[in-house]
Amino acid sequence: MAPIMRHDRRQPAPGTFGVLIYYLVANIAAFTQPATDRRYPKALQVVGAVACVALVATLPPLSVVLGILMFAAGIILRLARLSSVGFRPCSRRSALSRRGPRGVL
């Protein structure tokens, strides 16, 4: 018989923090789209972003702290990797010229 898995609300859930931050970024990105590419009104992205922030505020403090530490670790590792390979920002034109026949890098 398989054990029944139950979530203890006292346990931290940094993954929830990460998902909410992902959707916050998605709503902000959708808000910046030009009107010709927009499927839904801008007000919907504002409501979505505010909802994400409100839901993050309801998470246990330990979940938020662990989520922030998780993002900080990822940023530090990314910066370390970029510095080890000699990060050199490229112009948009050169990035577009590297695309293959289907526009894929």
Side-chain angles (χ1 to χ4, degrees):
M1 177 175 226
I4 297 174
M5 303 297 284
R6 291 177 29 178
H7 178 67
D8 184 1
R9 290 186 173 255
R10 295 172 292 177
Q11 296 296 320
T16 304
F17 177 84
V19 169
L20 289 170
I21 296 302
Y22 170 84
Y23 282 111
L24 174 66
V25 171
N27 278 294
I28 292 170
F31 185 83
T32 64
Q33 284 183 319
T36 57
D37 296 333
R38 181 171 304 284
R39 182 179 291 178
Y40 301 108
K42 279 189 169 189
L44 193 58
Q45 282 83 43
V46 172
V47 170
V50 169
C52 288
V53 172
L55 288 170
V56 165
T58 65
L59 291 175
L62 184 58
S63 294
V64 175
V65 170
L66 290 174
I68 290 170
L69 290 174
M70 192 171 53
F71 274 102
I75 291 168
I76 290 168
L77 290 172
R78 177 70 174 159
L79 291 174
R81 182 179 179 279
L82 289 175
S83 67
S84 71
V85 296
F87 175 69
R88 186 183 50 167
C90 62
S91 68
R92 181 163 167 75
R93 182 179 302 257
S94 66
L96 291 175
S97 66
R98 291 185 301 201
R99 292 182 188 264
R102 295 185 177 204
V104 179
L105 287 174

